[in-house]
Amino acid sequence: MSDQEPTVLIIGAGNFGTSTAYHLSKQYKDPSRITLVDRWDTNAPLLKKHAAAIDTNRIIRTDYESHLYCNLANEAIHFWFWSIAVQGHFHKTGWVVLGKKDGCFGDAVRKTFIERGGDYTRDVAPEELEKYDVTRGLNSENLGRGYFNPEAGWCDAEKATRSFTKVALESGVKRVTGEVQELLLDSKRTNLAGVKLRGGRVLKAEKIVLAAGAWTSALLSPIEDALKIQAQDRIERQVTAVGRVSAYYTLDQQQTQDMIDSKLPVVVIEGEVDIIPPSQPNRTLKINDLKTEIVNKVTTPSGHHITAPSPRDQNDVPEKLKRESAKVMQDAMPEWTHNRTPDRWRICYDAVTPTEDWLMCQHPHSGLSNLYIAVGGSFHSYKFLPVAGAYMINVLKGLSNGEEKDRAWKWKSKEELGEKKGKEFGDSPRNGARNELAEYESGMSSKL
């Protein structure tokens, strides 16, 4: 019997894929048996990389009502401060969360902090944000008391993901740039043999990790057809590809320095926008629309309906969608957005689960026993880049991550999927109706 470590192919070099490759490389005697494949070249320009884990910035915080994710975020934040793999990309600006008058996110977070041993936040009234240019004149009619957490901030996601990948590659992990065209069953149809890339190249491995984020359904659907998997047991029940809109404002050097000198934190206006401050290297103020979510519905050749990112360039946002999103931002922060136009827009797609938990498990179908799923960022999971892969390794080895994590990250039944818990900002209003991208554009194909 061979004592060689199993070969592993990781599809997707985003948050979960990169983290898995990193942690596997630390455990494998021969990391060259690990292959990471992604469509985007590591050194390609930022605007050419269309992935949730590749962006100007992402929020880093430990604030969760859930003890599970609060504990994980506290574990991860030590890496953001001290790990050479991501060190220097985290900016500890703190963050302010302004909730609705009837909201309870802040109180729930602080209760969790106290139960864990200490609450280092303080109260913030909406009026306190008048001292920052970008939040002056906030529409505070429906806003209640907020709070400030000095330990939070943001990171340069594009550079941090690239840096984390670099450590894995230097350890010996192989990286292939190419787009996965299809998953390949073995001759007995009892396992996956590997994948075929666009252009014909075939990559094989004993274990395959699907960490393709919002592209997950599009990749799995043909193999689900081949195995005659019923609709209720398909991946689309577990994750939905959802798009959100971000606006980017390019600042000059003095504007950037003024915001830095004013100690502008990340600002979240619950259910409306979050505002991520600039640094001198990027000189970009980013505003995320938290209210508008879209889906791109696709009909597969077999007639199934799934969600997948649109083939449209993510930086090419339809004008109607821009107007709708701009109104959300203008209503939330009318003074700063008045007479200002974003320098660019982006639709960011992520895989959203109904409970906003990760999906980190072995595929339950007997014909896909060597396929492992690592998706479900749900727009809140980038902060876990330094640690998520350590837990994925246990899944690959068939080991438990503990009852709480195993239950949260399992392939869920219909009843379990209905337990809407909300991990991003508390009691999430998600899972209701989302507009289709087709409502904002014309002439785009809805076929896979």
Side-chain angles (χ1 to χ4, degrees):
M1 182 175 177
S2 173
D3 59 355
Q4 278 194 314
E5 298 156 316
T7 53
V8 178
L9 174 63
I10 303 168
I11 304 170
N15 186 39
F16 293 108
T18 294
S19 189
T20 300
Y22 171 90
H23 285 280
L24 271 178
S25 75
K26 297 295 184 183
Q27 289 199 10
Y28 261 46
K29 295 177 183 176
D30 181 6
S32 70
R33 296 179 67 79
I34 305 160
T35 301
L36 183 63
V37 59
D38 195 278
R39 71 180 71 191
W40 312 115
D41 186 278
T42 305
N43 297 315
L46 171 61
L47 296 186
K48 295 291 185 182
K49 300 175 182 176
H50 298 169
I54 308 294
D55 200 0
T56 306
N57 46 44
R58 282 286 184 267
I59 296 172
I60 306 295
R61 43 100 176 187
T62 60
D63 309 46
Y64 281 92
E65 177 181 353
S66 159
H67 278 256
L68 190 162
Y69 291 95
C70 185
N71 291 339
L72 282 173
N74 274 281
E75 179 186 342
I77 207 163
H78 289 290
F79 281 82
W80 288 110
F81 279 118
W82 305 115
S83 172
I84 194 66
V86 291
Q87 198 176 48
H89 303 304
F90 174 52
H91 301 260
K92 197 180 84 164
T93 60
W95 86 331
V96 170
V97 179
L98 290 179
K100 303 295 184 184
K101 284 184 178 177
D102 57 352
C104 58
F105 175 69
D107 291 336
V109 164
R110 296 165 105 175
K111 179 175 181 290
T112 299
F113 283 169
I114 290 168
E115 290 170 350
R116 291 189 73 257
D119 176 16
Y120 34 82
T121 65
R122 66 170 177 83
D123 288 348
V124 171
E127 294 74 28
E128 283 192 51
L129 296 184
E130 290 291 317
K131 63 185 177 183
Y132 305 115
D133 286 343
V134 72
T135 51
R136 191 167 294 132
L138 287 182
N139 185 355
S140 58
E141 182 180 344
N142 297 318
L143 296 177
R145 174 174 56 89
Y147 75 93
F148 173 68
N149 180 353
E151 298 300 311
W154 63 274
C155 79
D156 185 320
E158 193 263 344
K159 289 182 179 177
T161 303
R162 186 168 59 190
S163 177
F164 217 60
T165 304
K166 184 172 181 284
V167 174
L169 300 185
E170 288 175 345
S171 297
V173 171
K174 294 184 288 188
R175 191 187 189 283
V176 175
T177 299
E179 183 175 355
V180 174
Q181 184 176 2
E182 63 176 311
L183 305 179
L184 302 174
L185 285 169
D186 66 13
S187 58
K188 296 180 181 178
R189 298 167 70 88
T190 56
N191 270 311
L192 282 182
V195 302
K196 183 167 78 171
L197 305 184
R198 233 168 255 293
R201 182 178 178 184
V202 172
L203 303 174
K204 293 187 176 183
E206 293 163 287
K207 295 188 176 185
I208 296 174
V209 178
L210 184 55
W215 286 265
T216 300
S217 277
L219 285 173
L220 261 182
S221 183
I223 216 81
E224 290 172 329
D225 288 345
L227 293 171
K228 295 181 168 43
I229 297 177
Q230 298 300 305
Q232 67 270 19
D233 298 320
R234 290 181 171 235
I235 190 68
E236 187 67 26
R237 285 290 182 96
Q238 304 292 320
V239 297
T240 302
V242 177
R244 277 190 175 175
V245 182
S246 299
Y248 301 78
Y249 295 83
T250 302
L251 310 176
D252 63 30
Q253 188 170 352
Q254 188 58 53
Q255 289 171 321
T256 301
Q257 194 59 47
D258 288 345
M259 288 189 184
I260 294 171
D261 292 343
S262 72
K263 300 189 183 325
L264 175 67
V266 173
V267 178
V268 177
I269 303 175
E270 188 180 346
E272 297 183 37
V273 299
D274 58 43
I275 306 160
I276 305 179
S279 66
Q280 277 299 356
N282 70 28
R283 301 212 320 261
T284 300
L285 182 86
K286 177 179 162 190
I287 304 175
N288 294 317
D289 174 0
L290 303 179
K291 196 171 186 178
T292 309
E293 291 189 339
I294 57 99
V295 291
N296 180 54
K297 293 187 178 179
V298 176
T299 302
T300 71
S302 63
H304 285 92
H305 302 291
I306 66 170
T307 55
S310 168
R312 182 179 185 134
D313 190 307
Q314 291 183 13
N315 301 294
D316 179 20
V317 180
E319 290 301 319
K320 183 180 176 183
L321 183 54
K322 285 183 188 177
R323 291 194 296 271
E324 184 173 311
S325 193
K327 187 177 186 308
V328 172
M329 298 172 189
Q330 289 159 3
D331 288 347
M333 38 194 300
E335 283 196 22
W336 199 84
T337 56
H338 183 65
N339 289 333
R340 280 189 173 92
T341 302
D343 293 277
R344 65 182 178 93
W345 294 82
R346 182 192 183 205
I347 300 176
C348 177
Y349 289 94
D350 202 359
V352 176
T353 64
T355 64
E356 296 181 24
D357 288 300
W358 303 345
L359 182 63
M360 188 178 280
C361 62
Q362 185 178 19
H363 196 287
H365 193 277
S366 59
L368 297 171
S369 59
N370 67 332
L371 175 62
Y372 300 82
I373 312 293
V375 298
S378 299
F379 293 105
H380 74 92
S381 295
Y382 182 80
K383 66 182 71 64
F384 302 109
L385 170 71
V387 299
Y391 297 99
M392 189 61 205
I393 288 176
N394 286 335
V395 175
L396 284 166
K397 291 181 175 180
L399 302 175
S400 172
N401 279 307
E403 183 181 354
E404 183 183 33
K405 294 182 181 70
D406 291 347
R407 186 174 62 251
W409 301 339
K410 65 182 283 193
W411 187 283
K412 297 179 178 62
S413 67
K414 180 180 179 181
E415 292 71 30
E416 290 165 332
L417 290 171
E419 297 173 5
K420 301 176 183 178
K421 299 176 182 179
K423 305 301 184 305
E424 188 192 19
F425 291 124
D427 186 16
S428 174
R430 286 180 174 173
N431 307 310
R434 294 182 174 103
N435 288 342
E436 293 188 38
L437 183 61
E439 297 174 25
Y440 300 96
E441 62 183 4
S442 60
M444 298 300 292
S445 172
S446 61
K447 298 287 184 181
L448 188 63

